Amino acid sequence: MKQDFILQNWSVWPPLDKEVDEQLIQQQRLSVLPKMLKRRLSPLARIVFTAAIPCLQENKQVPTVFSSTHGELAKSLKMMEMIEAGEDISPTAFSLSVHNAIAGLFSIAFNNQTESTVVAAGEEGIAAAFIEAAGILQEGAEQVLIVFYDEPLPQFYPSARFKLSTEKSCAVALLLAKVGLGTAIQLSQQQSKTNDGEQALQLPLLVQFLSSQQNKLQLNTHRHCWCWEKG
């Protein structure tokens, strides 16, 4: 399997430059959102929007692929604890905890009426979203926006030895196309028997690949070796 992309833009949050005023930048980017909607954003949703907004072109509709290993699992755990304690659960809180909630809010915020896919990234990590994006481009879309995001799992879940979680939240947005200006990237698949962990652990490696002179990113899973190479 080989698939070619053109990376036209990308963004990460938190930013790579640790000397910038993160709070100010986030406020500036989120200022384009309606106030009522902005108040509904969880901390994870806020970093997703902050990462994705620089990749949006004004007044242009773009298909989206959102990819997260666990979504807002901390919200779900909190609601289960409330049920155990005999407390009532807010319907709004429940609706904003499901796996496609952030994608739904994103579509509302930017009136994006094109297709939106939400991937529950499993053992193959970030590769699943790239494969989904490839399908959308093959069907005729000019561009596709991928947004990867994950936050640390609650301590309730014993995740460390399974390579499922990291200590910091992260969101990475990529605007991809089949042709045009940008950085050519080829995705290929090989066989492998090692394990570099799931999406949350792969995102820092993806950011390093995109932000440096590194020409190749290789991520191993239990079944495959996924390779991204810059052209």
Side-chain angles (χ1 to χ4, degrees), residues 33-41 92 96 105 108:
L33 304 178
K35 291 183 179 179
M36 286 289 291
L37 187 144
K38 186 161 59 175
R39 284 198 290 267
R40 300 176 69 185
L41 299 183
T92 300
L96 294 177
L105 291 172
I108 294 170

Side-chain angles (χ1 to χ4, degrees), residues 63-102:
T64 55
V65 179
F66 290 81
S67 177
S68 178
T69 305
H70 307 289
E72 302 212 58
L73 189 58
K75 274 189 175 182
S76 300
L77 176 62
K78 184 177 181 179
M79 287 189 293
M80 288 188 287
E81 291 173 340
M82 292 174 64
I83 292 174
E84 185 179 22
E87 300 178 23
D88 292 331
I89 295 176
S90 161
T92 300
F94 174 78
S95 67
L96 294 177
S97 71
V98 297
H99 203 69
N100 63 348
I102 292 178

Side-chain angles (χ1 to χ4, degrees), residues 43-71:
L44 180 59
R46 292 177 73 88
I47 74 165
V48 169
F49 276 64
T50 306
I53 285 173
C55 292
L56 296 176
Q57 298 174 336
E58 187 175 0
N59 299 323
K60 186 166 184 178
Q61 300 279 299
V62 59
T64 55
V65 179
F66 290 81
S67 177
S68 178
T69 305
H70 307 289

